[in-house]
Structures are given as structure tokens and as C-alpha cells.
Amino acid sequence: MVSLGRLGIYLITFVVAVSILAALTNFWQSIDYYVYKTFYLNDSEEIKLRSDIALIDLPYHAEGTTTFDRGNYRKRLSDLLDTIGSRYDANERPEAVLLDIFFTNDIQELETLKNAVKRLRDKQIKVYAVYDMRDHEQTFLEKHDAKQAQDLYENYFEGYRLHTMFEEKMGVLSYQSELKFTSEHGGHQFVEALASKVARDINMVDAPPSEPRGYILPLGNEQSIVNQTYAFTHAANETVGGKFSKELNINDKILIVGSLEDDQLVGIQGGTKTGTHLLAWALFDQLKGNQLAKQPLNNIAVNLALVLCFACF
């Protein structure tokens, strides 16, 4: 019979062994991320955004104002969507429209926006939008979702709820193929990455990865993305008749709409990054089958195998 004292020793030994393995695993991951950042991440000048991705910058604030008017913004956005629809009627047919914008349940011009999205859907143009996932680890889905434009996400946007949550680890940006949003009644709902969903639809892949996985986000040549950015602006006190800042043919284009000046992520890789730019690079990489960057060793089984292998020498 095993005595309590001996059992205690076994348990302590087991805990210590697991702790050492965990520490060594983190050690190997740290080395791998450092090597990746040194030899792959900083070599971005050769990565240029593919020509069929265009960014449309819709200013957050109306012309001549410094305060945000949600109703005004939604009307200007609706005008942009109608402009895309009119281009479609003139045989400029986009591949998809991505709205890098959260939509809450505020009623200001919500019906106007719904109708504009519906007009594009009636033309068989897929419209995707970002779902706010910033507090998915702090609250339940039902409580959070009650504050969002549920009808828009469930009945108008392609793919329902989609996320653009990026994180940085040791200077390397990454994101998850799916995130869990816990339900207050038990269980959870998976929310797929917007870039993954759009790429799957365009490449005609039926299902996401069988298991949630992480993707490295390779950043490319900034000038190439600036060259493919078009502002869509309105005259003061106007919400219709918006104009592009330069000539844009939207035929076969993937259009990513955001408010670039007000979508700045501070502290990313020691500086500031534009959130819509990160989405564009993620989509580019997904469309290429994640071939723009090698993946660091973030698989626990692989790391443990390395630990055990080197422990034998």
C-alpha cells in the first residue's frame, strides 16, 4: 500500500515535472518566435498587396465636423454601398464588399443601412461585416449581443458574426481562425475570422479548419497598400453624391471599407498600425493559402517532442 507521504512525493514530483516541461515549451516557443521575427517578419518590402484588393476610406467624421454623428455616418456608408451598386449596373462587378466596421443596435439610420445592404445582396454581391469581439472573454454572448445590430448580422451580412481580433506576441502578429464566445446558458458560439471566411468563399472551400488554429499575420509593403487606398468623401452637410479620391474600377475587386484615420492600433510592433491594413494583409495571406510566412512552432505536441528529444542528449 502506498503511504500518504509517498503519494505526496509522487504528486509533488509530477507537478514539478509538468512545470519544467511547460517552462521548456515556452522557452522553445520564445526562441522560435525570435528566429521567425529576425529572419521572416522584418522582410516585408517584397510582399505587395495583390491588385484585386482595394481599400475604401470612409471618414469617421463628416466633412467640417469634429464630433461623430452615427446617423450621418450610416447614411454616408449607405451612399457608398449604393455607389457600388450603381457601378455593378454599369458592369463593374466586385467580388465582395467587406465592412471593417462594428454595428451596434442604435436605431439612427439603421433601416437606411439595411436597405442599402439589401440592394447589394439583391444583385448577388456578398457583403461581410466585423462583429465586435473586444470583450468576448469578459462577458456572455447574450448580454453582449443584445447591444449589437443582431438583425443586420443574422439576416443581411454574409457569414453572420465575424471577427478581426489580432494579437501580438514577441513582435509577431497573429489571429485565430475562430474565437469562442461563451453563452450564459452553457456552451459557446464560434466566431470565424473575417479574412478566413471571405477567402474560403472566394476559393470555394466549404468549411473552416476542423480544429481552431492560429495564423501568423505577415505585413507587407506599406506603399503598395497606400497605392490601393481610395477615399470616399462627401461635401459638407451632404450624405449623398460621395466621390472617390481617384479613379477606381471595382470590377472583380474585393473592396474593404473602413475609417482608416480613426482605426489606429497603438503599440503594435513598437508603433501604430491601421486596423483595416491588418485585415487586408490577413485576407491576402488567406487567399494565397497562408504561404506568405512560415508558421512558428505553436503546436504543443511539437514543442514537447523537441523538449524530450533534446533531453536525451
Side-chain angles (χ1 to χ4, degrees), residues 23-34:
L24 288 174
T25 297
N26 290 331
F27 171 74
W28 285 113
Q29 284 184 330
S30 299
I31 289 179
D32 188 55
Y33 270 86
Y34 174 79

Side-chain angles (χ1 to χ4, degrees), residues 24-61:
L24 288 174
T25 297
N26 290 331
F27 171 74
W28 285 113
Q29 284 184 330
S30 299
I31 289 179
D32 188 55
Y33 270 86
Y34 174 79
V35 171
Y36 173 84
K37 179 183 176 183
T38 302
F39 293 100
Y40 295 102
L41 186 64
N42 295 331
D43 187 20
S44 61
E45 288 303 305
E46 298 303 315
I47 303 176
K48 296 183 178 180
L49 194 67
R50 54 190 276 173
S51 60
D52 62 347
I53 297 177
L55 283 70
I56 300 177
D57 182 13
L58 181 69
Y60 193 63
H61 300 104

Side-chain angles (χ1 to χ4, degrees), residues 208-308:
S210 57
E211 294 290 335
R213 56 156 293 182
Y215 294 108
I216 291 301
L217 175 59
L219 302 182
N221 186 299
E222 279 295 309
Q223 189 58 47
S224 73
I225 208 169
V226 170
N227 293 342
Q228 290 166 221
T229 299
Y230 305 79
F232 187 78
T233 58
H234 295 79
N237 302 315
E238 294 290 339
T239 56
V240 295
K243 305 289 185 183
F244 287 109
S245 57
K246 54 187 177 183
E247 185 62 32
L248 170 62
N249 187 318
I250 67 172
N251 194 51
D252 292 330
K253 290 284 198 301
I254 304 168
L255 306 175
I256 305 178
V257 181
S259 299
L260 276 58
E261 185 176 346
D262 286 86
D263 187 16
Q264 300 298 306
L265 306 178
V266 179
I268 301 296
Q269 295 181 348
T272 301
K273 299 293 182 183
T274 302
T276 307
H277 286 188
L278 301 187
L279 172 58
W281 292 123
L283 176 61
F284 180 27
D285 187 48
Q286 286 286 341
L287 290 169
K288 288 182 68 70
N290 309 116
Q291 296 179 4
L292 293 179
K294 295 185 177 181
Q295 304 295 306
L297 298 177
N298 53 11
N299 184 292
I300 186 67
V302 173
N303 282 288
L304 286 176
L306 280 174
V307 171
L308 294 174

Side-chain angles (χ1 to χ4, degrees), residues 35-267:
V35 171
Y36 173 84
K37 179 183 176 183
T38 302
F39 293 100
Y40 295 102
L41 186 64
N42 295 331
D43 187 20
S44 61
E45 288 303 305
E46 298 303 315
I47 303 176
K48 296 183 178 180
L49 194 67
R50 54 190 276 173
S51 60
D52 62 347
I53 297 177
L55 283 70
I56 300 177
D57 182 13
L58 181 69
Y60 193 63
H61 300 104
E63 181 68 24
T65 68
T66 56
T67 57
F68 178 64
D69 182 332
R70 192 179 308 279
N72 178 283
Y73 183 83
R74 287 177 173 176
K75 289 175 75 173
R76 289 186 289 115
L77 175 58
S78 299
D79 183 52
L80 169 59
L81 298 181
D82 284 337
T83 299
I84 293 170
S86 67
R87 294 286 189 92
Y88 178 93
D89 294 336
N91 291 319
E92 291 184 29
R93 303 191 169 178
E95 186 78 41
V97 178
L98 285 61
L99 305 181
D100 189 21
I101 304 164
F102 303 139
F103 295 97
T104 64
N105 64 359
D106 293 304
I107 63 173
Q108 301 150 301
E109 301 300 335
L110 187 57
E111 290 303 315
T112 301
L113 180 59
K114 287 181 181 180
N115 291 332
V117 175
K118 184 178 184 301
R119 286 190 285 272
L120 286 188
R121 287 176 59 88
D122 289 345
K123 299 176 190 293
Q124 307 303 311
I125 300 175
K126 293 183 176 181
V127 182
Y128 304 80
V130 178
Y131 184 74
D132 187 358
M133 292 286 289
R134 289 173 295 181
D135 62 351
H136 76 283
E137 294 180 328
Q138 286 79 44
T139 188
F140 289 118
L141 171 63
E142 291 80 4
K143 181 179 180 181
H144 174 82
D145 203 46
K147 300 176 183 178
Q148 313 307 313
Q150 294 174 334
D151 191 34
L152 261 179
Y153 287 104
E154 293 177 358
N155 298 308
Y156 291 82
F157 293 141
E158 198 75 22
Y160 307 106
R161 298 164 178 83
L162 300 166
H163 83 83
T164 53
M165 294 289 290
F166 302 105
E167 62 178 355
E168 183 181 23
K169 181 178 181 181
M170 289 174 267
V172 179
L173 283 166
S174 65
Y175 61 99
Q176 295 297 313
S177 61
E178 294 176 300
L179 292 176
K180 290 181 181 180
F181 215 135
T182 303
S183 170
E184 62 183 346
H185 304 298
H188 52 261
Q189 178 175 314
F190 280 109
V191 178
E192 188 175 358
L194 175 56
S196 170
K197 171 59 177 170
V198 175
R200 287 199 300 106
D201 287 351
I202 291 174
N203 293 334
M204 293 182 288
V205 177
D206 290 336
S210 57
E211 294 290 335
R213 56 156 293 182
Y215 294 108
I216 291 301
L217 175 59
L219 302 182
N221 186 299
E222 279 295 309
Q223 189 58 47
S224 73
I225 208 169
V226 170
N227 293 342
Q228 290 166 221
T229 299
Y230 305 79
F232 187 78
T233 58
H234 295 79
N237 302 315
E238 294 290 339
T239 56
V240 295
K243 305 289 185 183
F244 287 109
S245 57
K246 54 187 177 183
E247 185 62 32
L248 170 62
N249 187 318
I250 67 172
N251 194 51
D252 292 330
K253 290 284 198 301
I254 304 168
L255 306 175
I256 305 178
V257 181
S259 299
L260 276 58
E261 185 176 346
D262 286 86
D263 187 16
Q264 300 298 306
L265 306 178
V266 179

